């Protein structure tokens, strides 16, 4: 197992090194990931994670392939997805590795409803159909892959994924001293990613995972505490209000929900509160935030906003206002899954052979408003039930899973990405599938 881990650890290194080659040679990094995905369920999940990161690399550090309509950033990611989907299909239909559990059935039902909705009501049917079909296939495949792992394999893979995420954030730190680290807007740190917002999102889920581990242990590892401080610094210099605020509300919601919904929360989920150092560090953190006025810096962020709500409306009103108008016109049906608010002028990139859209990105804010705009009140209700299903699983599992779920949900208050199988949304899908397939929390876990 240790030799296999060392061998597999070379894969992301080789992939990143190949990514330094310009277009079109960058496609070889995706080819290696696609082959790697065929080695097993764990490898298939990690292949999607690597493809997600490759699509979000800082092109001030790595060669720019994003601007090529048929470059590796699009073709390569679809290649990896197609390989993973093919691997799952072979195992399910030909190797008779049947898995049809609750998470798969619930997710498949949600996807099928959105597919029918797209056929009947979408303003641009082919875009909606391809988007929802891809999301449904990738999401159910991720659940299938996670479900095929044993209890130990499941835990090992989740730890390895967050280790890889942590390494990527750590490798971003040297760029603090280089112009490429802030090249996107010359103010906020973006590290190895193509934007500070992406770095903030990655740091938020990483911190949520490690904070969950800290809260559930009376004597957490000192190395983990130092790493949390380091990542907290990175997320702050990223200037991502979405990530910082999402993490803050995740922790608050976690403490409230665990206290009211979990029996003996201090024994299982909040063991750190039995340690007096928790209160000491909490007080020190409060003093630090107050002294440096970090709250004001996060809220204002080079604007005249005086409150969090005002800052949110200032930054997201340009996205929310058109959604509200579409909802007013048709709150029942919606405009179609994955369709932009200004759908009459929505642009897409289509392949020259079949004229199928493979790139039709949309930018939206609060996901609940976005879902209602696209699939109406019934589609929103089903989405909320899907989230509630995931929450019921998470609340009885480990603290880090609850916090990661809350982080993903609150991140989608600023960036609607749960239904985006391209870009950083794929990371959210991987982590949601991890949560949905986790075994019940064991009260006899070791420190």
């Amino acid at each position: 197992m240790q030799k296999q881990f060392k061998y597999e650890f070379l894969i992301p290194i080789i992939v990143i090194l190949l990514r330094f080659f310009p277009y079109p040679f960058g496609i070889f990094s995706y080819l290696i990931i696609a082959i790697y995905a065929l080695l097993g369920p764990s490898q298939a999940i990690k292949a999607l994670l690597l493809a997600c990161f490759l699509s979000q690399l800082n092109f001030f550090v790595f060669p720019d392939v994003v601007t090529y309509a048929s470059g590796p950033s699009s073709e390569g990611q679809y290649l990896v997805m197609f390989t993973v989907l093919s691997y799952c299909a072979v195992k399910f239909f030909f190797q008779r590795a049947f898995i049809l559990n609750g998470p798969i059935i619930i997710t498949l039902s949600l996807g099928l409803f959105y597919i029918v909705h797209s056929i009947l009501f979408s303003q641009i049917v082919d875009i909606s159909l391809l988007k929802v079909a891809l999301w449904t296939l990738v999401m159910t495949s991720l659940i299938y892959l996670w479900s095929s792992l044993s209890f130990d394999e499941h835990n090992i893979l989740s730890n390895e994924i967050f280790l890889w995420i942590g390494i990527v954030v750590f490798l971003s730190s040297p760029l603090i001293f280089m112009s490429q680290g802030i090249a996107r807007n010359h103010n906020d740190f973006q590290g190895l990613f193509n934007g500070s917002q992406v770095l903030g999102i990655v740091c938020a889920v990483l911190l949520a995972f490690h904070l969950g581990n800290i809260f559930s242990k009376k004597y957490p590892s000192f190395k983990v505490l130092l790493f949390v401080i380091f990542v907290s610094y990175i997320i702050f210099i990223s200037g991502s209000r979405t990530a910082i605020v999402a993490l803050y509300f995740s922790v608050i919601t976690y403490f409230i929900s665990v206290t009211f919904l979990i029996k003996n929360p201090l024994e299982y989920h909040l063991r750190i509160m039995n340690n007096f150092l928790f209160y000491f560090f909490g007080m020190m953190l409060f003093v630090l935030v107050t002294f440096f006025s970090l709250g004001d810096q996060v809220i204002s962020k080079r604007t005249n906003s005086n409150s969090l709500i005002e800052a949110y409306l200032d930054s997201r009103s340009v996205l929310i206002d058109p959604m509200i108008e579409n909802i007013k016109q048709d709150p029942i049906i919606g405009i179609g899954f994955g369709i932009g608010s200004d759908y009459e002028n929505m642009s897409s990139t289509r392949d020259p052979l079949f004229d199928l859209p493979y790139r039709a990105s949309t930018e939206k804010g609060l996901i609940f408003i976005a879902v209602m705009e696209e699939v109406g009140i019934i589609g929103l209700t089903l989405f909320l039930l899907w989230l509630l299903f995931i929450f019921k699983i998470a609340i009885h599992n480990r603290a880090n899973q609850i916090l990661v779920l809350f982080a993903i949900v609150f991140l989608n208050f600023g960036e609607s990405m749960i239904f985006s199988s391209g870009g950083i949304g794929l990371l959210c899908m991987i982590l949601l599938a991890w949560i949905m397939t986790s075994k019940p929390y064991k009260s006899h876990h070791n420190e």
Side-chain angles (χ1 to χ4, degrees):
M1 180 65 72
Q2 190 174 5
K3 288 184 179 179
Q4 180 182 356
F5 177 78
K6 290 180 179 179
Y7 162 74
E8 291 189 14
F9 198 75
L10 293 175
I11 298 296
I13 297 176
I14 296 172
V15 166
I16 293 297
L17 289 176
L18 281 174
R19 186 56 182 76
F20 279 103
F21 286 91
Y23 176 86
F25 300 104
I27 192 67
F28 288 109
S29 59
Y30 289 95
L31 284 172
I32 291 178
I33 298 174
I35 296 172
Y36 176 65
L38 299 173
L39 299 180
S42 296
Q43 290 80 4
I45 294 170
K46 288 184 286 188
L48 288 174
L49 177 67
L50 288 173
C52 170
F53 281 163
L54 285 188
S55 70
Q56 300 296 304
L57 287 178
N58 184 345
F59 57 78
F60 294 99
V61 178
F62 300 88
D64 179 14
V65 297
V66 177
T67 55
Y68 292 92
S70 59
S73 63
S74 55
E75 290 178 356
Q77 190 162 359
Y78 284 125
L79 172 64
V80 176
M81 288 182 181
F82 177 77
T83 305
V84 172
L85 294 176
S86 300
Y87 172 79
C88 293
V90 169
K91 285 188 67 69
F92 189 86
F93 293 108
F94 297 102
Q95 297 182 5
R96 298 186 181 278
F98 295 110
I99 298 177
L100 200 61
N101 53 22
I104 290 179
I105 294 173
I106 295 294
T107 303
L108 191 59
S109 300
L110 180 68
L112 289 175
F113 174 83
Y114 290 157
I115 287 174
V116 173
H117 180 280
S118 299
I119 295 173
L120 297 177
F121 305 115
S122 176
Q123 297 293 329
I124 312 177
V125 176
D126 56 353
I127 289 180
S128 291
L129 266 179
L130 288 174
K131 279 191 173 186
V132 69
L134 183 61
W135 179 86
T136 304
L137 289 171
V138 173
M139 192 68 212
T140 52
S141 295
L142 280 167
I143 298 171
Y144 174 82
L145 292 168
W146 278 106
S147 299
S148 64
L149 301 175
S150 67
F151 181 80
D152 290 335
E153 289 172 337
H154 198 280
N155 290 334
I156 291 171
L157 178 58
S158 61
N159 289 327
E160 191 173 348
I161 284 176
F162 282 100
L163 173 63
W164 283 18
I165 296 173
I167 290 174
V168 172
V169 173
F170 179 78
L171 292 177
S172 295
S173 57
L175 291 174
I176 295 175
F177 310 100
M178 305 178 189
S179 60
Q180 292 89 337
I182 57 171
R184 182 70 177 265
N185 62 13
H186 306 293
N187 284 292
D188 300 321
F189 182 61
Q190 63 187 89
L192 292 176
F193 296 97
N194 63 5
S196 58
Q197 188 80 316
V198 178
L199 176 62
I201 290 169
V202 171
C203 288
V205 295
L206 181 63
L207 280 171
F209 177 82
H210 286 294
L211 286 174
N213 287 336
I214 289 174
F215 293 155
S216 59
K217 294 182 179 180
K218 185 175 181 180
Y219 300 103
S221 167
F222 185 68
K223 290 187 295 185
V224 173
L225 287 172
L226 287 179
F227 185 71
V228 165
I229 293 172
F230 163 73
V231 180
S232 299
Y233 171 71
I234 296 296
I235 196 175
F236 176 71
I237 63 175
S238 76
S240 174
R241 283 183 300 198
T242 296
I244 296 171
V245 174
L247 185 65
Y248 172 80
F249 279 111
S250 299
V251 174
I252 297 299
T253 308
Y254 167 75
F255 274 87
I256 294 174
S257 61
V258 167
T259 302
F260 285 100
L261 298 178
I262 295 294
K263 185 179 180 180
N264 299 324
L266 291 181
E267 181 179 356
Y268 301 136
H269 284 268
L270 299 174
R271 302 181 75 180
I272 187 66
M273 295 183 69
N274 289 318
N275 188 337
F276 80 95
L277 289 176
F278 169 76
Y279 302 96
F280 173 76
F281 282 117
M283 187 182 303
M284 293 296 294
L285 180 63
F286 176 78
V287 172
L288 181 67
V289 169
T290 304
F291 181 77
F292 287 103
S293 300
L294 299 185
D296 291 339
Q297 294 183 42
V298 170
I299 292 174
S300 60
K301 193 182 178 182
R302 301 183 298 276
T303 68
N304 296 321
S305 303
N306 296 316
S307 67
L308 184 60
I309 296 177
E310 185 179 341
Y312 180 82
L313 293 176
D314 287 344
S315 63
R316 289 292 181 265
S317 59
V318 66
L319 301 175
I320 294 177
D321 290 346
M323 292 193 290
I324 296 296
E325 288 301 316
N326 285 329
I327 291 173
K328 287 180 179 178
Q329 293 180 19
D330 196 344
I332 307 299
I333 300 301
I335 62 175
F337 185 93
I339 302 301
S341 298
D342 185 13
Y343 51 85
E344 293 180 351
N345 299 313
M346 184 178 179
S347 61
S348 63
T349 305
R350 297 175 178 267
D351 76 275
L353 186 60
F354 300 103
D355 195 38
L356 294 176
Y358 63 88
R359 182 181 296 168
S361 59
T362 59
E363 184 180 1
K364 298 187 179 183
L366 182 59
I367 189 168
F368 305 112
I369 298 179
V371 171
M372 185 169 181
E373 177 203 27
E374 294 178 6
V375 292
I377 187 66
I378 299 176
L380 173 62
T381 302
L382 293 176
F383 171 62
L384 292 175
L385 291 174
W386 183 71
L387 284 180
L388 180 61
F389 174 79
I390 303 176
F391 174 74
K392 288 180 66 177
I393 296 174
I395 199 68
H396 296 295
N397 289 331
R398 292 170 177 80
N400 51 23
Q401 294 167 356
I402 306 172
L403 268 165
V404 169
L405 174 61
F406 286 154
I408 291 173
V409 172
F410 283 114
L411 283 168
N412 277 266
F413 275 57
E415 294 287 337
S416 180
M417 55 187 171
I418 284 181
F419 287 114
S420 175
S421 53
I424 203 63
L426 186 55
L427 174 62
C428 295
M429 295 171 64
I430 292 171
L431 298 180
L432 287 175
W434 162 61
I435 296 169
M436 296 173 77
T437 56
S438 297
K439 304 298 186 295
Y441 181 80
K442 304 293 184 181
S443 61
H444 57 271
H445 73 291
N446 295 324
E447 285 282 335

